[in-house]
Amino acid sequence: MTTTPQPARPVRLNSGDGIIASVPTLVGFTPADSLVILTLAGRRVGLTLRVDLPPAGDQTAAVAAHAAAVIDQHQPDEPLTALLVLVGDDDRADLVDAVTEQLAGVGVRVQQALHTPQIAAGMPWKCLCDCGNAGILDDPGSSVLAVTAVATTGRVNYRSRAELAAELDSRIDAATARRRAEQIRMLDGEGPEVAAAVLEFGSQVLDGRLDEIDEDVIVGIGAALGTPARRDALVGWTAEVTEHGVMRAAWLRMVQQLPGRSRAQAATVCALAALLDGDGATANVALEVAERTHPGLPLTRLATQLTAAGIEPGMLRALIRDGSR
């Protein structure tokens, strides 16, 4: 399940095609074979959930119940409503009915349910209510919401989850990974070389010089991530930088360049940076990288719980700041 808390902002979702066109921007990538639930408080988009289409039967009921439980945890003071967008070959009336029923049980009314085989220009869409509304999708990438998001945050809308996952692939060969792992092992995480690397990393990130990060800095950050006090300080610093996308890009670079356990730790901090940007999609993929690379890290488990809970970015920032004091 991808859970994406959205900053409180009004969004025009007054037509079926407009609702569907907003989904890639709100989710972070163009979903396929998915159910997307958009929650609304008035005209403001709140939590956005994406789930893979489950098989019919017990799994459908479980997915619907879990989605309703997550949304219930984030209900604001004003009443919530929801929009459902189903993407896939079948309109899955069983899933739509199950989610509608479960949401009603937590006081959330489904305003509209929509279906399209694929979110792409030229694809047909239809409303699953009895209104008869239907049409053909324009290019979602040219929607007002997509264009505004790129202009104001620089956020990329990936064409698929696989394309997003590819961004977190390692960029180093096996020999480089072995060499860096050995260098990290030999360093004292509390030593002056690591302190210097952390300072240089911070300077390059804040100055927009990620392309200048060299071997010494990469290895030093790897050693810092393996030292609890240094790692916690890096997490705290990540929460202090509020410019959208800066820390996500910085830790993405470390995920691409670090080996082994250090790569898993960098992926976990990348997930936290993404959550602070309201980017649940990147957070989920980064946590999968962390768990696959080095299973069982305590920070990864904590970040996974926070992601599953759909914690709001401002609340997460405050939580990290309080924890680092």
Side-chain angles (χ1 to χ4, degrees):
M1 176 180 290
T2 300
T3 308
T4 309
Q6 297 296 328
R9 60 184 179 189
V11 179
R12 290 186 178 276
L13 298 176
N14 52 8
S15 65
D17 54 347
I19 294 167
I20 296 171
S22 74
V23 165
T25 300
L26 294 173
V27 171
F29 59 90
T30 301
D33 297 320
S34 301
L35 174 70
V36 179
I37 306 173
L38 312 179
T39 64
L40 300 172
R43 290 181 54 248
R44 296 181 179 275
V45 176
L47 198 68
T48 299
L49 275 71
R50 185 210 65 86
V51 297
D52 293 333
L53 295 180
D58 292 344
Q59 290 189 47
T60 292
V63 164
H66 181 54
V70 171
I71 289 171
D72 191 35
Q73 291 174 4
H74 295 83
Q75 292 222 43
D77 293 335
E78 56 187 312
L80 276 184
T81 58
L83 301 168
L84 308 184
V85 177
L86 197 143
V87 185
D89 293 335
D90 189 352
D91 61 20
R92 290 298 303 273
D94 62 320
L95 179 58
V96 171
D97 289 345
V99 171
T100 300
E101 181 179 353
Q102 289 289 336
L103 288 178
V106 296
V108 178
R109 180 179 62 85
V110 172
Q111 284 189 20
Q112 194 171 19
L114 303 162
H115 171 254
T116 183
Q118 183 182 347
I119 302 179
M123 296 301 296
W125 67 269
K126 65 179 179 181
C127 181
L128 299 177
C129 308
D130 295 327
C131 62
N133 288 338
I136 301 296
L137 293 176
D138 292 328
D139 178 13
S142 64
S143 70
V144 173
L145 182 58
V147 172
T148 301
V150 171
T152 58
T153 69
R155 183 168 167 176
V156 176
N157 290 334
Y158 295 94
R159 289 174 294 180
S160 66
R161 195 176 191 276
E163 185 179 64
L164 168 57
E167 278 290 283
L168 286 97
D169 285 346
S170 177
R171 300 295 195 267
I172 57 176
D173 58 27
T176 301
R178 288 193 296 269
R179 184 184 72 248
R180 288 180 179 172
E182 179 63 16
Q183 290 173 325
I184 289 168
R185 189 182 69 81
M186 296 295 292
L187 274 179
D188 175 6
E190 298 287 358
E193 297 100 330
V194 174
V198 169
L199 287 174
E200 182 62 18
F201 178 60
S203 174
Q204 290 172 329
V205 169
L206 296 179
D207 291 345
R209 295 185 288 120
L210 289 180
D211 57 340
E212 297 179 20
I213 292 177
D214 61 16
E215 185 91 353
D216 289 342
V217 171
I218 292 168
V219 170
I221 292 299
L225 287 169
T227 306
R230 294 261 192 223
R231 181 203 62 212
D232 292 349
L234 286 168
V235 172
W237 173 60
T238 298
E240 291 296 328
V241 178
T242 57
E243 185 177 349
H244 195 96
V246 169
M247 297 313 301
R248 175 190 178 279
W251 289 111
L252 177 62
R253 182 65 177 267
M254 289 296 107
V255 175
Q256 295 169 344
Q257 296 296 323
L258 282 168
R261 182 186 179 98
S262 298
R263 171 171 156 81
Q265 290 163 328
T268 302
V269 185
C270 182
L272 292 172
L275 287 179
L276 289 165
D277 281 346
D279 182 359
T282 297
N284 276 282
V285 173
L287 289 169
E288 289 175 6
V289 170
E291 190 63 21
R292 184 171 64 247
T293 304
H294 194 96
L297 291 175
L299 185 62
T300 304
R301 288 199 298 269
L302 175 60
T304 299
Q305 292 168 358
L306 293 170
T307 303
I311 188 168
E312 191 269 336
M315 184 181 297
L316 176 61
R317 198 176 303 278
L319 185 66
I320 293 174
R321 286 171 173 170
D322 289 344
S324 63
R325 288 172 184 165

